Structures are given as C-alpha cells and as structure tokens.
Amino acid sequence: MKIEIHQGTVADVLIVDQQIPEFDNRNTHEKLTQRLSDKKHLILVAVSEGIPVAYKMGYQLSDSDSDSEFYSWLGGVVPSARKQGIATQLRVIQEEWAKKQGYEAISVKSMNRYPAMLQLLISSGYHISGYEDEGSSDNSKIKFLKKL
C-alpha cells in the first residue's frame, strides 16, 4: 500500500472516522471544527490511492502554563490499513512539525481499551504524566507527555 501524507481537512478526518468501528461515528463536523476554531492546529491525513485511510490531528494548548505544549487530540487508522506503520509515520511528522513551530512538548491522552495506542506511545518516548478518573478503568484517561 503506497501512502502519501499531507495536511488535510475536517472532511478528510470524517471519511476515515466513518470507517473506524471503535469511534461509533461520534465525531461530527461541528464538534471537530468547534474544538479547532481559534487554535493553532494541524490535521495530517494519510492517503492511499486517493482515499484517506488515516489521520492525526492536534492543536496548541491554551490552558497550559505557556503556549509551548501541543495536544495530539485525535487519530485513527482504518482497519484495512493497520499494522503498516502509518500511525508511526503520522506521529513522527506531527512531532517534527510541532518542534519546528517552537513547541517544547506534545501531550496526548489514551485509554486502557486502546492497548495498541498505549504501547505505541510508551515505545515512542511518551511518559505517563497523569490520570483522569472517569469511574472505570476502561473509560478513564491516561495522560502522556513527550519533551521535544
């Protein structure tokens, strides 16, 4: 599978999201654009044969102590394109972009129900930096941070 990665749009993200069973179509155009509005952000899209198959998106955290932290908000790979290193490529490009923009760290949250993501983060140099208790270990969020 030949993959091209470029900056994309919310529409590209939704094409991918509709093919990811874990996401249950919970992301809408309104939800995504509202979260990104008035924030410096990046949407990366991986395309195979003209069709978006993965994405990674994030934005500058304004509620942090400074504007030096980039939050890697959402990402996903369609099931047919998994286990091919696409998520890693997207992560590396996002980290390089964030570093060039002057960010000092990237933060991300994940959950126990996504073990592949937890493994990817830890093996990629992200450190556990916190925990948001949502009442159960499956729904609670584990916070990660990586210094750039």
Side-chain angles (χ1 to χ4, degrees), residues 2-18:
K2 185 176 186 290
I3 297 294
E4 296 176 19
I5 296 175
H6 57 82
Q7 289 193 26
T9 66
V10 168
D12 295 326
V13 167
L14 292 172
I15 290 170
V16 175
D17 260 17
Q18 291 168 358

Side-chain angles (χ1 to χ4, degrees), residues 95-111:
E95 289 172 359
E96 290 171 352
W97 178 88
K99 190 171 186 174
K100 284 179 188 170
Q101 299 298 310
Y103 296 103
E104 296 172 10
I106 292 185
S107 62
V108 64
K109 296 175 191 171
S110 192
M111 299 182 216

Side-chain angles (χ1 to χ4, degrees), residues 50-120:
I51 300 168
V53 295
Y55 72 89
K56 190 154 189 68
M57 63 192 302
Y59 55 85
Q60 179 173 311
L61 277 182
S62 57
D63 59 349
S64 62
D65 292 336
S66 68
D67 291 336
S68 63
E69 190 174 319
F70 188 79
Y71 179 57
S72 183
W73 178 34
L74 289 174
V77 180
V78 301
S80 62
R82 292 179 183 170
K83 305 275 188 212
Q84 298 182 41
I86 298 170
T88 296
Q89 291 176 55
L90 290 167
R91 177 189 53 77
V92 168
I93 292 168
Q94 184 185 65
E95 289 172 359
E96 290 171 352
W97 178 88
K99 190 171 186 174
K100 284 179 188 170
Q101 299 298 310
Y103 296 103
E104 296 172 10
I106 292 185
S107 62
V108 64
K109 296 175 191 171
S110 192
M111 299 182 216
N112 282 324
R113 63 180 169 189
Y114 302 125
M117 182 63 173
L118 299 175
Q119 291 170 351
L120 174 71

Side-chain angles (χ1 to χ4, degrees), residues 26-43:
R26 66 176 161 244
N27 292 322
T28 64
H29 192 273
E30 293 76 25
K31 175 184 173 183
L32 300 179
T33 53
Q34 182 179 9
R35 177 72 71 99
L36 298 175
S37 70
D38 301 328
K39 293 182 177 92
K40 186 174 186 178
H41 64 273
L42 174 67
I43 300 173

